[in-house]
Amino acid sequence: MQILSFPEEATPSELRVQVLDLQQQAWPAGNALPVPVEAPTHDPALRPLSMLLVADGTVLSALDILSKEIVHAGRRYAVGGLSTVVSRQATRGHGHGRRLVAAAREAMPAQGLDLGLFTCDRPLQAFYESAGWQLLPGAVLVGGTPQAPFPSDRPGFGKVTMADFFSTAGRQARDAFAHSRIELYPGEIDKLW
């Protein structure tokens, strides 16, 4: 098994087809038209980096790291987050997803990120904690755009915010992020990474 990383647009087509298939299985699009292999899943402005756990040419697990700069409590931070975390159904329960999520957390500081932030469904909190992420208590990510905000505390949404602080500036700001509304605003495509 190996972990491979590519900018989303540079992911080899034989691997990208598998990733799209895994995503379709996890989040069926219904009657939507099939997504062309070359079509981006994410907004290119978020610099999507695809990470894949591959064994003998088969993608076992995949995720994307999205990143951007935000301003929070009057300071600028380079922030990244996990998106489209998925594992092959036939191999779930073997730790592949956990291994990849942990590897993404370890790779993010090398990208110059101050911190990592993302939301997950409440029942997945323990999974992400087992891969080294921490619950950011009381934090709400505000996605979408300033004109059309998409907060993670929407009624019935059931999300929690997970985080890790990589740089000195990020670690020093930990308390400023807890119990706060964090204006992420990743846009209309990736409303809430």
Side-chain angles (χ1 to χ4, degrees), residues 42-76:
H42 303 287
D43 185 338
L46 299 174
R47 302 181 304 277
L49 177 71
S50 296
M51 291 185 71
L52 316 174
L53 180 64
V54 179
D56 298 322
T58 299
V59 176
L60 302 176
S61 191
L63 62 78
D64 294 306
I65 298 173
L66 307 179
S67 57
K68 68 174 295 208
E69 286 194 354
I70 66 167
V71 174
H72 184 74
R75 298 201 53 204
R76 185 171 297 279

Side-chain angles (χ1 to χ4, degrees), residues 115 117 134-140 161-163 165 174 177-179 182:
L115 65 148
L117 291 170
Q134 306 148 33
L135 175 69
L136 189 57
V140 174
T161 300
M162 306 302 293
F165 297 84
R174 179 187 300 265
F177 282 92
H179 304 286
I182 303 163

Side-chain angles (χ1 to χ4, degrees), residues 9-67:
E9 72 278 2
T11 302
S13 61
E14 65 275 8
L15 298 175
R16 180 89 172 121
V17 166
Q18 292 182 59
V19 170
L20 292 173
D21 185 51
L22 294 178
Q23 292 173 350
Q24 175 61 27
Q25 288 174 26
W27 306 289
N31 294 335
L33 295 173
V35 177
V37 173
E38 65 279 356
T41 301
H42 303 287
D43 185 338
L46 299 174
R47 302 181 304 277
L49 177 71
S50 296
M51 291 185 71
L52 316 174
L53 180 64
V54 179
D56 298 322
T58 299
V59 176
L60 302 176
S61 191
L63 62 78
D64 294 306
I65 298 173
L66 307 179
S67 57

Side-chain angles (χ1 to χ4, degrees), residues 78-148:
V79 178
L82 302 185
S83 183
T84 57
V85 178
V86 65
S87 289
R88 186 170 295 281
Q89 278 186 322
T91 61
R92 285 189 185 155
H94 292 97
H96 301 313
R98 181 176 296 107
R99 179 177 172 188
L100 189 60
V101 166
R105 186 181 61 77
E106 292 169 9
M108 291 170 89
Q111 297 176 341
L113 300 175
D114 294 307
L115 65 148
L117 291 170
F118 63 95
T119 60
C120 69
D121 293 334
R122 193 171 303 282
L124 293 173
Q125 176 183 336
F127 165 77
Y128 287 104
E129 287 174 332
S130 75
W133 292 92
Q134 306 148 33
L135 175 69
L136 189 57
V140 174
L141 291 188
V142 182
T145 66
Q147 299 76 25

Side-chain angles (χ1 to χ4, degrees), residues 141-182:
L141 291 188
V142 182
T145 66
Q147 299 76 25
F150 190 82
S152 64
D153 65 347
R154 298 165 45 125
F157 214 36
K159 301 283 185 187
V160 293
T161 300
M162 306 302 293
D164 201 355
F165 297 84
F166 308 126
S167 70
T168 300
R171 287 188 296 276
Q172 290 173 345
R174 179 187 300 265
D175 290 344
F177 282 92
H179 304 286
S180 70
R181 296 183 80 75
I182 303 163

